[in-house]
Amino acid sequence: MSNAPTFNHDGIAYGCDYNPEQWDRSLWREDVALMREAGVDLVALNIFGWSHLEPRPGEFDFSGLDEILDLLHEAGIRVNLGTGTASAPPWLTFRHPEILPEAEDGTTRFPGGRQAWCPSSTVFRRHALALVEQVGARYGSHPAVALWHVSNELGCHNALCYDDESAEAFRRWLQARYVTIERLNAAWGTSFWSQQYSDFAEILPPRLTLSSRNPGQVIDFQRFSSDELLGYYRAELEVLRRHSDVPVTTNFMVTAHIRNLDYWRWAPDMDVIANDHYLDNRLADPAAELSFASDLTRGLADGGAWLLMEQSTGAVNWQPHNLAKAPGEMTRNSLTHVAKGAEAVCFFQWRASLQGSEKFHSALLPHAGTDTDLWREVVALGGILDSLDEITGTRVQADVALIFSWESWWAADGESRPSQHVDYLSQVHAAHSSLRRLGHTVDVVRPGADLSAYRLVVVPALYLVRDSEAAVIAEFVGNGGHAVITFFSGITDEEDRVRPGGYPGAFRTLLGITVEEFAPVLPGQALRLTSGKAATAWSERTRARGAEVLDTFADGPSAGRPAITRHRSGDGAGAAWYLATHLDPEDLDEVLRDAARGAGAVPQGDERHPGLEVIRRADDERSYLFLINHSTQDVELPATGHELVTGAPVDSIATVPAGAVRVIREDLSR
Ligand code: GLA
């Protein structure tokens, strides 16, 4: 938005959610003093404030919030002020049970947790906006307020609501999209299984059925649900804008387990992009996922600065096994985000709760108090971030891009697909992790994004793709770029209709191949290629039609068929690679290493130092090298300049101790 306010912060912000309503007022001054000791300078307040601000319908009490805002302001701490609408107070759901969300099986989700509201509920919206009106009017020009925080993690629990009010809103959304019922019937392929509609009134959300559901209906419901919450965000934004010039955002959830919002569509409405990220120890390589999520968040920020709005100092409470972070891990996590564009490092939450379902979630100030290693690391991190203030405004340097799509995620992981063993995000993670192991910094971009700044573009499992989006990739290769496209890409169009004539329809010509039949294999079955490379999960019966065959399946259901191909562009400068299987990590590394070399993409890191993440942020005058040592070995590598964390000069060789982080202001004169 051109006239939107921008979030200005002097240096890198350090902050947390603070829930003073959970604590006796006598502790507030001590909290603020400790925040200063830690260097905290941005505090999120009033995230779950509604039942305190409006204890009874229409009766408001701002005394607590007034007091804490003033205390923080006196201490020079800026406030990221929640609108307070994330969770409805019991009086509201008691009086209006119709706002409660309904699951796909028609059962109600009751209050007692949080976010128990239907995104399409007009009653909820009316009450929530009335609160935003009060909060906006009262604090819209309070000098402490630096940022507005709309609701909280919109759609974390309630994104998909299947009740009658959602059904009505879904119908309106469909009517706007398709105008006539005939067009909807065509888009959803309703001639199948006697599903033809005669009127929009007959349409329901994709509630649980006896068999698998219509995929067109499912993907449109996903699109609708994302748009519906974005509409809700806009409604709060409109109220805030009337009262305040302060920038507005909400915290995204770019993480491995939340997928219901198409943040490519949301991003333009944010004055600044903010993300919550939690290490997911259910994954094989949580640090690799963190790296992907921060690259994607930067993509949402168009390559510019963004805010890490929440992470944890240690364990969370919502995974099956909630692992404490190792000493130094919180600092490495934080610096990875900063290396990848974050200009605020914030946590959930300030003081560990004594009650409520998050009482075993870590915080900046643990139950055990300040005489703890955790608190000492919190204070040290504040110091490190202060020493990095000068890096703000620089941009992450990357010559490799990876295309990511929420729509493909929704469509590719449909109920009836070739293999339940293959899912979209794992394919994306596999490609990104491999590039990371090879030392590349990767920009994660939307389908259709301008690719001209890149040398290599990786396109993992881009199942659903529009003609115009596929054309950008073809044009990139036509202009001399190199692309690697992996299996189950280009299969369907915007309406999830298979592109006929052989897979991967949208990329067939570009790749110079035709896939005649998918031939996935059972979990645990190993596949071999003639080169000796190992693979699992997927094979296909491919035929080369102009592409060079670089490797073939040596066994399995596609034995003798191409497994890796490359198709040069007309003038030979560009190349389009295709991977027809899920390669083992080191074999994928080998392919992507070759592709990157051929493309002339230059890794920032060095494969001789596995575990050392190397990222560069720069602009015309400045260059900063971030070195994050995830390994248990000290690493030495060539660099010259000034190291910001230790304040020491670096003359030709930098040493990064095991587990440590270093940031070097590079000497550009040498
Ligand atoms: C989310 C929420 C917070 C808190 C944390 C716990 O990010 O926004 O309120 O519940 O999860 O990890």
Side-chain angles (χ1 to χ4, degrees):
M1 270 184 231
S2 50
N3 59 350
T6 47
F7 175 69
N8 296 313
H9 197 275
D10 193 16
I12 297 176
Y14 187 34
C16 54
D17 277 27
Y18 181 36
N19 297 300
E21 57 277 4
Q22 293 179 19
W23 302 97
D24 192 84
R25 270 178 158 84
S26 60
L27 270 184
W28 292 1
R29 280 182 188 276
E30 179 189 326
D31 278 336
V32 173
L34 287 171
M35 284 174 188
R36 284 180 58 91
E37 181 182 327
V40 163
D41 53 21
L42 183 68
V43 163
L45 285 181
N46 195 39
I47 305 299
F48 294 100
W50 196 342
S51 72
H52 288 264
L53 295 186
E54 193 180 5
R56 275 163 291 279
E59 189 185 315
F60 293 94
D61 175 6
F62 291 103
S63 57
L65 196 50
D66 286 352
E67 189 179 330
I68 192 69
L69 263 162
D70 291 343
L71 276 179
L72 290 165
H73 184 52
E74 279 164 28
I77 297 173
R78 307 216 296 165
V79 172
N80 167 21
L81 189 57
T83 54
T85 55
S87 238
W91 60 254
L92 180 55
T93 45
F94 175 75
R95 282 175 177 69
H96 292 286
E98 70 275 20
I99 75 170
L100 296 175
E102 221 171 87
E104 58 183 351
D105 63 356
T107 55
T108 300
R109 291 297 175 263
F110 291 99
R114 64 177 178 186
Q115 223 176 49
W117 50 275
C118 161
S120 301
S121 167
T122 46
V123 174
F124 175 82
R125 192 178 286 205
R126 191 173 70 242
H127 283 86
L129 295 186
L131 178 69
V132 180
E133 193 73 50
Q134 294 279 335
V135 175
R138 192 170 186 93
Y139 302 111
S141 18
H142 192 291
V145 179
L147 188 63
W148 285 107
H149 182 299
V150 167
S151 191
N152 188 59
E153 292 193 338
L154 284 162
C156 177
H157 311 285
N158 65 349
L160 305 179
C161 180
Y162 296 80
D163 71 343
D164 289 340
E165 197 165 4
S166 302
E168 274 172 41
F170 183 38
R171 286 180 211 119
R172 284 195 298 274
W173 184 92
L174 290 167
Q175 211 143 5
R177 182 175 172 91
Y178 295 110
V179 184
T180 67
I181 198 68
E182 290 74 23
R183 284 184 53 197
L184 176 137
N185 278 316
W188 289 8
T190 55
S191 45
F192 177 81
W193 279 357
S194 183
Q195 291 177 347
Q196 206 139 261
Y197 294 96
S198 72
D199 194 287
F200 282 95
E202 298 157 6
I203 297 172
L204 292 171
R207 292 177 181 155
L208 219 51
T209 63
L210 292 171
S211 63
S212 51
R213 289 163 269 202
N214 180 308
Q217 181 186 9
V218 171
I219 190 172
D220 270 350
F221 189 65
Q222 290 279 170
R223 290 179 174 129
F224 153 78
S225 300
S226 174
D227 284 359
E228 196 70 350
L229 276 168
L230 176 56
Y232 177 81
Y233 174 84
R234 288 176 178 156
E236 284 209 18
L237 173 72
E238 195 193 308
V239 176
L240 293 172
R241 283 273 196 264
R242 275 195 276 110
H243 293 291
S244 180
D245 297 329
V246 169
V248 183
T249 192
T250 190
N251 42 350
F252 287 179
M253 298 163 288
V254 175
T255 59
H257 61 288
I258 305 238
R259 58 161 220 167
N260 286 326
L261 305 174
D262 183 348
Y263 288 132
W264 293 129
R265 286 173 66 82
W266 283 56
D269 283 84
M270 306 295 129
D271 293 337
V272 59
I273 297 291
N275 192 46
D276 294 353
H277 186 271
Y278 289 90
L279 266 196
D280 194 333
N281 289 304
R282 294 166 292 193
L283 300 172
D285 190 350
E289 189 279 331
L290 182 153
S291 191
F292 167 73
S294 50
D295 286 338
L296 173 51
T297 307
R298 182 175 70 260
L300 292 163
D302 272 331
W306 53 278
L307 315 177
L308 178 65
M309 198 65 100
E310 291 181 25
Q311 63 167 342
S312 67
T313 55
V316 297
N317 66 310
W318 43 264
Q319 291 174 18
H321 312 288
N322 295 299
L323 307 187
K325 289 190 181 176
E329 193 174 2
M330 168 183 79
T331 305
R332 290 193 296 280
N333 293 165
S334 303
L335 270 276
T336 309
H337 287 297
V338 173
K340 291 175 171 240
E343 295 197 353
V345 173
C346 305
F347 290 80
F348 176 86
Q349 59 175 331
W350 165 249
R351 191 184 267 275
S353 299
L354 301 182
Q355 293 178 293
S357 52
E358 293 183 324
K359 62 180 178 297
F360 294 122
H361 193 292
S362 60
L364 293 173
L365 186 54
H367 290 152
T370 51
D371 186 12
T372 50
D373 287 352
L374 183 69
W375 174 255
R376 284 183 275 275
E377 192 174 334
V378 162
V379 175
L381 177 60
I384 292 175
L385 294 177
D386 281 345
S387 71
L388 301 185
D389 281 347
E390 64 175 75
I391 65 119
T392 54
T394 53
R395 286 173 79 92
V396 177
Q397 307 295 299
D399 57 8
V400 178
L402 180 148
I403 298 180
F404 178 82
S405 156
W406 273 276
E407 285 185 306
S408 261
W409 191 354
W410 299 334
D413 289 2
E415 286 171 306
S416 304
R417 59 190 205 253
S419 170
Q420 298 286 339
H421 189 43
V422 172
D423 67 278
Y424 176 70
L425 195 64
S426 308
Q427 296 305 311
V428 170
H429 283 166
H432 187 273
S433 299
S434 172
L435 291 163
R436 175 174 176 267
R437 283 192 296 273
L438 297 173
H440 290 284
T441 303
V442 180
D443 278 353
V444 179
V445 301
R446 75 182 75 206
D450 177 13
L451 301 173
S452 54
Y454 303 106
R455 292 189 171 271
L456 177 69
V457 172
V458 178
V459 186
L462 191 64
Y463 163 86
L464 178 154
V465 64
R466 291 168 181 77
D467 291 349
S468 57
E469 295 161 353
V472 178
I473 300 169
E475 192 188 319
F476 167 73
V477 174
N479 291 334
H482 290 219
V484 177
I485 298 177
T486 75
F487 69 90
F488 216 40
S489 287
I491 307 298
T492 65
D493 65 13
E494 182 179 355
E495 292 170 345
D496 197 24
R497 184 188 293 104
V498 171
R499 295 166 176 277
Y503 317 120
F507 300 119
R508 215 165 42 215
T509 312
L510 173 67
L511 294 168
I513 55 158
T514 311
V515 177
E516 297 171 7
E517 198 176 359
F518 301 138
V521 296
L522 294 172
Q525 181 176 342
L527 292 166
R528 287 248 150 242
L529 310 190
T530 40
S531 64
K533 288 191 176 63
T536 51
W538 191 271
S539 80
E540 41 191 33
R541 295 177 175 149
T542 303
R543 195 174 292 280
R545 298 191 186 274
E548 282 164 82
V549 177
L550 304 179
D551 214 337
T552 47
F553 290 102
D555 58 16
S558 305
R561 299 292 197 133
I564 305 175
T565 62
R566 182 174 54 203
H567 194 212
R568 301 257 180 217
S569 59
D571 61 3
W577 295 64
Y578 184 63
L579 305 188
T581 187
H582 179 66
L583 288 172
D584 281 7
E586 56 280 19
D587 292 330
L588 179 60
D589 292 355
E590 199 178 316
V591 175
L592 290 181
R593 188 185 298 113
D594 282 355
R597 278 192 191 141
V602 183
Q604 317 269 325
D606 183 332
E607 285 189 67
R608 283 171 303 180
H609 306 307
L612 182 75
E613 202 156 2
V614 182
I615 299 135
R616 186 171 271 113
R617 289 184 60 154
D619 62 14
D620 290 346
E621 284 102 43
R622 305 172 290 166
S623 181
Y624 297 94
L625 195 60
F626 282 74
L627 305 167
I628 297 146
N629 191 351
H630 299 278
S631 81
T632 50
Q633 311 291 323
D634 296 359
V635 176
E636 288 193 340
L637 74 171
T640 296
H642 187 84
E643 203 287 310
L644 302 179
V645 175
T646 56
V650 180
D651 189 9
S652 66
I653 297 287
T655 304
V656 192
V661 293
R662 294 289 181 263
V663 182
I664 297 170
R665 184 202 305 130
E666 296 182 289
D667 185 350
L668 298 179
S669 63
R670 308 248 315 230

